[in-house]
């Protein structure tokens, strides 16, 4: 019959698994063995081998269903004792279904953090967790727990800075909505708790609501998506107090186009909606219009209402506005400056309401100046007069800038009318420019307030996968340190060649083209002139800044050419920024956190295998684990080992010390010497050895 009790076969040579198994990882298929079985729908299911015949196996699935499959569709599953291990390197069999299963086991029990060797894998819970706060901070500080946690990472970074005097960085990566920003905040809370006392730690934390208001927006993937890259340095004094901080944002990534346009169902930057919903009466009222912003509700603004999404579930924009102004107070942005900031935001909103009238059959336009600014209030004004008032420029100048451009022809200046698309893009470019200048200016103000005498630098959040190389170097150093500490001869630990991994990580380069396209349209020199003519401080500052950025004023005659050259300079600047960041991070000891998004719905309790797998693959988690476990990844203290396997010994060892018991076990079961090492406190095993011992244990 098909029953063949002794039929067995080694999986080592099988094509796909070759990658993931090393020579120590022999695996024998036999009856009753639990395996992962690729089901017809391409999912992996856990089953038990009923029988094997040649390349075919009969598998019993949990629901009692039997399935005939080719053995190449089977992968080893780990013994149950390893279910939900807190470090993936402890898995005896490393394969995708096992890793997915392990992370899921933990996730359903609200254990969202798992180690993958030196990397922390963080799965977004999409709900509030009772994992944070003072008690938990204390537990990690006092090392009364060693569960994987962001706090543990922050703690070792803090120690590295304070104890060893080496700058550290925490690099948090993951796709949109995976939890990078939240994770960075959690790490910052821990560091603020540890380095608190000077008062500045509170300021550092308050930069978050400000940066999120101005730099985050609701997208289809994340209700609070960061649209800019940021690096926050936290500086510690020698007495372990936070003594300064600095934020660096990469303005190139800052997505300006969102201010004027985006996909349906997405929002512009939070701050616009917060301002409209939460501005106090003193700002919004039009009784004394000359001093006010003349703010209306968000649905009166074209720039806001065009994407059919004004609100976010469970978010109170008015309350957020209140928090924003509190945070601005704390980082010492004066009330006067705050009002200027809000005036610029209002100017951007009103710009979007400026409309054009086509005046000839060549599609040339003029600005409409007679139409009331909004549906609510006919008596007051038009969009154009609002913008001019808010920016402090003359109405005719504004109208001219938005509908014409000056061309230098020899000694003469020719004024040419813009076509409708040209006029709209001129208007939008001005709006985008004002917004991004405002963002940069604000970050500068915050930095002024935060940047005191900086000591050591401490980098916290930087999402660039290229740093992986840097990381690999450290990975091996860390491994070696633990071996040395426990008296292991680490030269016996052969590490697999990791070039394959490095190549993999080099795949993940920054996609710069998209960013440049989005931010590519430079501001027309006429618009810069307009900003210069304003009698408000901010527009003037912006103009100076913009002139500085493009180095030379753009000649209208060679406008097309200069667009290209400006794009070029943006690209060069971006590379420069990246290089600087890299250089600064290169001089630090990095800590890595990989955030994983468990589902696309932003909901708790849903774990989509495919989505998780795709992210694990993309950031090379399996490879990291593979590198980490290529030494002796399974570790047990002598006590643990003796307690778990001691009863298997034939002789009575009741009164012997754990080390002797352990050695006796190793000898009795003929564990090959190259498969383990005995340290002062722990036993170190090659992969698969614990599974082998468990097998013996279960069958005794
Ligand atoms: P993006 O790249 O779009 O900026 P991100 O990786 O920064 O995305 P976050 O904004 O940090 O993602 O997280 C998205 C949402 O997931 C948060 O708004 C929050 O609702 C939830 N979330 C993330 N991490 C946690 C956590 N540790 N606990 C509870 N909720 C979380
Ligand atoms: Mg974010």
């Amino acid at each position: 019959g098909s029953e063949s009790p002794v039929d067995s076969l080694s999986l080592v040579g099988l094509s796909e698994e070759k990658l993931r198994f090393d020579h120590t990882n022999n695996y024998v298929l036999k009856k009753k063995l639990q395996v992962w079985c690729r089901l017809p729908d391409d999912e992996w299911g856990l089953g038990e081998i009923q029988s094997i015949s040649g390349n075919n196996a009969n598998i019993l699935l949990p629901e009692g269903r039997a399935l005939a499959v080719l053995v190449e569709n089977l992968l080893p599953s780990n013994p149950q004792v390893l279910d939900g291990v807190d470090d993936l390197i402890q898995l005896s069999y490393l394969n995708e279904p096992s890793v997915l299963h392990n992370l899921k086991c933990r996730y359903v029990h609200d254990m969202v953090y798992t180690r993958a060797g030196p990397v922390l894998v963080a799965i977004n819970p999409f709900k509030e967790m009772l994992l944070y706060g003072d008690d938990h901070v204390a537990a990690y500080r006092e090392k009364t727990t060693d569960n994987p946690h962001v706090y543990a990472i922050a703690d070792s970074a803090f120690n590295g800075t304070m104890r060893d005097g080496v700058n550290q960085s925490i690099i948090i990566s993951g796709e949109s909505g995976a939890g990078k920003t939240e994770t960075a905040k959690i790490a910052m809370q821990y560091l603020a708790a540890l380095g608190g006392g000077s008062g500045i730690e509170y300021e550092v934390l308050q930069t978050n609501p400000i940066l999120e208001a101005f730099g985050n927006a609701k997208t289809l993937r994340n209700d609070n998506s960061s649209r800019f890259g940021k690096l926050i340095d936290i500086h510690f004094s020698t007495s372990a107090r936070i003594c300064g901080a600095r934020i660096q944002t990469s303005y190139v990534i800052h997505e300006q186009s969102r201010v004027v346009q985006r996909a349906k169902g997405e929002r512009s930057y939070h701050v616009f909606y917060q301002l409209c919903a939460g501005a106090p009466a003193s700002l919004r009222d039009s009784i004394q219009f000359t001093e006010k912003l003349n703010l209306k509700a968000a649905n009166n603004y074209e720039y806001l209402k065009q994407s059919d999404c004004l609100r976010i579930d469970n978010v109170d924009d008015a309350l957020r506005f209140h928090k924003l102004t509190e945070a601005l107070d704390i980082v010492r942005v004066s009330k006067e400056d705050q009002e200027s900031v809000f005036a610029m935001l209002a100017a951007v909103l009103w710009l979007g309401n400026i409309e054009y009238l086509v005046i000839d059959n060549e599609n040339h336009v003029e600005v409409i100046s007679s139409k009331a600014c909004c549906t609510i209030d006919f008596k007051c004004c038009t969009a154009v007069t609002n913008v001019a008032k808010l920016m402090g420029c003359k109405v005719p100048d504004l109208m001219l800038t938005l509908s014409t451009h000056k061309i230098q022809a020899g000694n003469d200046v020719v004024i040419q009318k813009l076509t409708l698309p040209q006029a709209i893009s001129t208007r939008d470019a001005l709006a985008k420019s004002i917004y991004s200048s405002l963002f940069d200016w604000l970050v500068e103000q915050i930095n002024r307030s935060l940047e005191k005498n900086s000591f050591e630098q401490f980098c916290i959040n930087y999402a660039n996968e290229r740093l992986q190389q840097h990381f690999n170097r450290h990975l091996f150093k860390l491994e070696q340190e633990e071996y040395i500490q426990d008296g292991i001869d680490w030269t016996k630990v052969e590490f697999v060649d990791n070039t394959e991994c490095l190549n993999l990580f080099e795949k993940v380069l920054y996609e710069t083209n998209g960013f440049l396209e989005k931010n590519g349209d430079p501001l027309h020199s006429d618009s810069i002139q307009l900003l210069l003519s304003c009698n408000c401080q901010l527009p003037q500052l912006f103009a100076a800044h913009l002139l500085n950025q493009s180095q030379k004023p753009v000649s209208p005659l060679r406008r097309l050419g200069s667009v290209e050259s400006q794009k070029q300079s943006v690209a060069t600047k971006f590379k420069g920024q990246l290089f600087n960041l890299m250089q600064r991070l290169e001089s630090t000891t990095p800590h890595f956190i990989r955030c994983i998004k468990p589902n696309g719905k932003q909901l708790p309790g849903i774990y989509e295998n495919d989505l998780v797998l795709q992210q694990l693959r993309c950031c090379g988690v399996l490879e990291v684990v593979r590198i980490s476990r290529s030494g002796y990844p399974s570790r047990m203290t002598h006590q643990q080992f003796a307690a778990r396997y001691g009863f298997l010994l034939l002789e009575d060892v009741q009164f012997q010390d754990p080390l002797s018991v352990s050695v006796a076990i190793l000898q009795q079961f003929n564990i090959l010497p190259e498969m383990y090492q005995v340290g002062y406190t722990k036993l170190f095993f090659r992969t698969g050895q614990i599974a082998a011992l468990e097998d013996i244990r279960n069958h005794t």
Side-chain angles (χ1 to χ4, degrees):
S2 60
E3 293 274 299
S4 52
V6 284
D7 206 348
S8 69
L9 135 115
S10 162
L11 267 185
V12 172
L14 286 178
S15 51
E16 196 190 352
E17 272 316 289
K18 224 175 180 173
L19 252 179
R20 296 179 196 124
F21 283 74
D22 57 32
H23 61 282
T24 61
N25 218 345
N26 274 315
Y27 174 68
V28 180
L29 282 183
K30 59 185 179 211
K31 252 187 84 172
K32 294 260 181 217
L33 198 73
Q34 292 280 324
V35 285
W36 291 109
C37 168
R38 198 195 290 276
L39 304 175
D41 63 2
D42 234 25
E43 289 268 326
W44 290 95
L46 205 54
E48 191 185 280
I49 298 183
Q50 293 292 89
S51 63
I52 294 174
S53 159
N55 268 338
N56 299 297
N58 280 315
I59 307 296
L60 184 67
L61 297 172
E63 322 86 84
R65 191 155 59 107
L67 195 72
V69 293
L70 292 174
V71 290
E72 66 203 41
N73 286 321
L74 299 180
L75 284 175
S77 75
N78 288 278
Q80 250 172 23
V81 64
L82 294 178
D83 262 0
V85 288
D86 63 13
D87 192 333
L88 296 175
I89 68 170
Q90 294 166 25
L91 291 178
S92 281
Y93 300 112
L94 181 68
N95 50 48
E96 287 178 346
S98 295
V99 168
L100 270 177
H101 174 74
N102 193 74
L103 291 175
K104 185 176 183 174
C105 282
R106 295 180 63 76
Y107 184 71
V108 297
H109 290 106
D110 278 352
M111 293 184 280
V112 292
Y113 299 118
T114 305
R115 282 186 214 98
V119 177
L120 182 73
V121 175
I123 305 190
N124 189 341
F126 284 118
K127 66 175 179 187
E128 249 179 65
M129 304 288 287
L130 302 171
L131 283 174
Y132 316 112
D134 293 345
D135 292 348
H136 294 272
V137 168
Y140 283 90
R141 193 64 208 134
E142 288 149 20
K143 301 219 177 340
T144 54
T145 173
D146 65 353
N147 291 336
H149 198 295
V150 180
Y151 287 172
I153 300 282
D155 192 71
S156 74
F158 180 81
N159 289 338
T161 301
M162 299 319 305
R163 189 193 54 214
D164 312 333
V166 179
N167 294 341
Q168 312 276 314
S169 57
I170 299 175
I171 295 152
I172 305 169
S173 56
E175 69 172 56
S176 180
K180 300 181 292 294
T181 299
E182 296 303 317
T183 301
K185 285 193 280 192
I186 292 163
M188 283 168 79
Q189 274 154 9
Y190 187 83
L191 296 171
L194 261 53
S198 62
I200 195 168
E201 73 279 4
Y202 192 51
E203 277 184 58
V204 173
L205 290 178
Q206 286 302 311
T207 60
N208 287 316
I210 302 174
L211 290 175
E212 287 183 28
F214 285 86
N216 289 24
K218 173 183 162 46
T219 67
L220 297 177
R221 275 142 54 99
N222 181 359
D223 283 353
N224 184 34
S225 187
S226 322
R227 312 311 294 166
F228 65 105
K230 78 169 182 275
L231 172 76
I232 299 179
D233 291 349
I234 302 177
H235 309 206
F236 286 91
S237 68
T238 42
S239 58
R241 294 275 160 265
I242 294 179
C243 62
R246 200 167 82 100
I247 303 165
Q248 199 176 328
T249 60
S250 47
Y251 84 100
V252 199
I253 307 178
H254 187 220
E255 189 195 22
Q256 295 177 21
S257 59
R258 177 166 296 275
V259 174
V260 301
Q261 189 177 48
R262 67 227 150 240
K264 284 252 180 299
E266 300 203 340
R267 294 209 314 181
S268 181
Y269 292 98
H270 296 325
V271 71
F272 289 113
Y273 309 85
Q274 295 175 358
L275 178 70
C276 290
S282 59
L283 279 179
R284 69 170 56 253
D285 240 86
S286 56
I287 303 166
Q288 289 174 298
F289 176 64
T290 43
E291 273 92 30
K292 309 294 163 181
L293 310 184
N294 198 26
L295 269 178
K296 305 294 172 210
N299 62 351
N300 287 285
Y301 295 108
E302 286 301 323
Y303 277 163
L304 302 186
K305 71 182 189 200
Q306 50 147 308
S307 56
D308 279 343
C309 178
L310 292 168
R311 315 202 39 170
I312 303 174
D313 288 346
N314 306 318
V315 171
D316 179 344
D317 282 315
L319 184 70
R320 293 280 169 100
F321 183 78
H322 185 67
K323 299 262 181 231
L324 170 66
T325 53
E326 278 180 357
L328 287 167
D329 291 342
I330 287 164
V331 301
R332 286 187 285 261
V333 174
S334 69
K335 281 290 177 206
E336 202 185 338
D337 278 349
Q338 290 182 33
E339 281 203 19
S340 307
V341 168
F342 300 143
M344 287 302 105
L345 293 174
V348 168
L349 291 179
W350 285 120
L351 263 173
N353 280 16
I354 289 179
E355 290 180 321
Y356 294 97
L357 181 70
V358 176
I359 51 163
D360 60 20
N361 52 14
E362 286 175 68
N363 214 16
H364 289 129
V365 293
E366 273 176 5
V367 173
I368 298 178
S369 64
S370 56
K371 199 170 165 189
C373 67
C374 64
T375 48
I376 299 173
D377 199 347
F378 282 96
K379 66 175 187 287
C380 59
C381 55
T382 65
V384 191
T385 51
N386 278 346
V387 175
K389 268 180 192 146
L390 289 162
M391 287 173 49
C393 64
K394 298 198 180 77
V395 175
D397 288 353
L398 176 64
M399 288 172 65
L400 217 59
T401 305
L402 295 181
S403 58
T404 63
H405 67 230
K406 295 197 198 82
I407 295 176
Q408 190 89 30
N411 284 332
D412 300 328
V413 175
V414 178
I415 294 185
Q416 199 176 70
K417 285 205 154 63
L418 298 177
T419 63
L420 186 60
Q422 285 173 335
I424 289 174
S425 85
T426 301
R427 180 196 68 187
D428 289 352
L430 183 60
K432 289 187 279 188
S433 226
I434 292 174
Y435 189 74
S436 75
S437 303
L438 185 66
F439 186 82
D440 291 349
W441 177 83
L442 199 58
V443 170
E444 206 181 301
Q445 301 311 301
I446 296 172
N447 280 337
R448 264 191 214 166
S449 154
L450 294 180
E451 208 166 334
K452 306 241 170 112
N453 334 318
S454 52
F455 269 65
E456 325 281 61
Q457 292 190 340
F458 191 109
C459 318
I460 203 169
N461 177 8
Y462 183 58
N464 182 4
E465 313 288 345
R466 273 179 69 187
L467 286 154
Q468 195 66 42
Q469 244 176 329
H470 181 32
F471 147 76
N472 277 285
R473 258 178 262 142
H474 285 270
L475 178 72
F476 298 116
K477 236 178 73 194
L478 284 178
E479 277 281 293
Q480 288 168 12
E481 276 166 14
E482 186 172 352
Y483 291 130
I484 291 166
Q485 259 179 22
D486 223 69
I488 297 295
D489 176 6
W490 69 268
T491 53
K492 290 217 186 104
V493 182
E494 330 129 33
F495 292 108
V496 290
D497 180 16
N498 67 339
T499 39
E500 193 188 306
C501 283
L502 292 185
N503 290 340
L504 185 110
F505 298 126
E506 284 288 281
K507 262 198 327 233
V508 249
L509 284 180
Y510 246 117
E511 174 59 76
T512 49
N513 290 341
F515 297 135
L516 293 183
E517 235 166 71
K518 280 181 184 147
N519 299 285
D521 35 327
L523 203 57
H524 195 324
S525 68
D526 294 351
S527 300
I528 298 182
Q529 292 305 322
L530 179 80
L531 290 175
L532 271 179
S533 79
C534 291
N535 60 23
C536 294
Q537 187 206 0
L538 284 183
Q540 283 180 13
L541 280 176
F542 297 167
H545 187 65
L546 288 164
L547 281 173
N548 231 347
Q549 257 178 27
S550 57
Q551 274 143 13
K552 290 181 261 183
V554 185
S555 151
L557 265 187
R558 289 189 299 133
R559 199 157 154 226
L560 206 76
S562 68
V563 171
E564 281 313 307
S565 71
Q566 279 200 12
K567 273 192 187 179
Q568 275 280 293
S569 78
V570 167
T572 318
K573 188 157 181 182
F574 179 67
K575 272 192 205 141
Q577 285 183 344
L578 196 62
F579 182 74
N580 282 340
L581 286 181
M582 290 285 290
Q583 255 194 339
R584 278 173 45 210
L585 293 179
E586 280 281 335
S587 63
T588 67
T589 303
H591 303 259
F592 291 83
I593 302 178
R594 302 288 198 188
C595 296
I596 304 270
K597 183 160 75 168
N599 64 71
K601 303 182 184 70
Q602 304 186 53
L603 288 176
I606 306 173
Y607 185 92
E608 292 171 8
N609 278 321
D610 279 0
L611 187 71
V612 175
L613 184 58
Q614 184 194 315
Q615 294 169 81
L616 292 174
R617 279 185 185 151
C618 160
C619 62
V621 163
L622 251 78
E623 284 73 9
V624 166
V625 176
R626 187 157 58 90
I627 294 171
S628 312
R629 73 210 280 274
S630 58
Y632 297 87
S634 311
R635 283 134 218 213
M636 273 194 182
T637 61
H638 304 153
Q639 284 86 347
Q640 283 169 336
F641 190 77
R644 185 149 185 92
Y645 305 110
F647 77 94
L648 294 170
L649 286 176
L650 302 175
E651 55 188 293
D652 184 14
V653 290
Q654 222 182 334
F655 301 107
Q656 292 193 21
D657 63 286
L659 176 58
S660 313
V661 177
S662 301
V663 172
I665 298 165
L666 294 167
Q667 282 170 352
Q668 177 171 316
F669 295 102
N670 287 329
I671 309 288
L672 297 174
E674 61 266 30
M675 293 302 175
Y676 67 89
Q677 291 218 43
V678 182
Y680 300 135
T681 60
K682 286 181 222 163
L683 295 161
F684 293 71
F685 293 97
R686 297 276 195 202
T687 51
Q689 286 310 301
I690 294 292
L693 282 160
E694 281 294 307
D695 205 30
I696 298 170
R697 188 176 179 272
N698 291 341
H699 292 94
T700 305

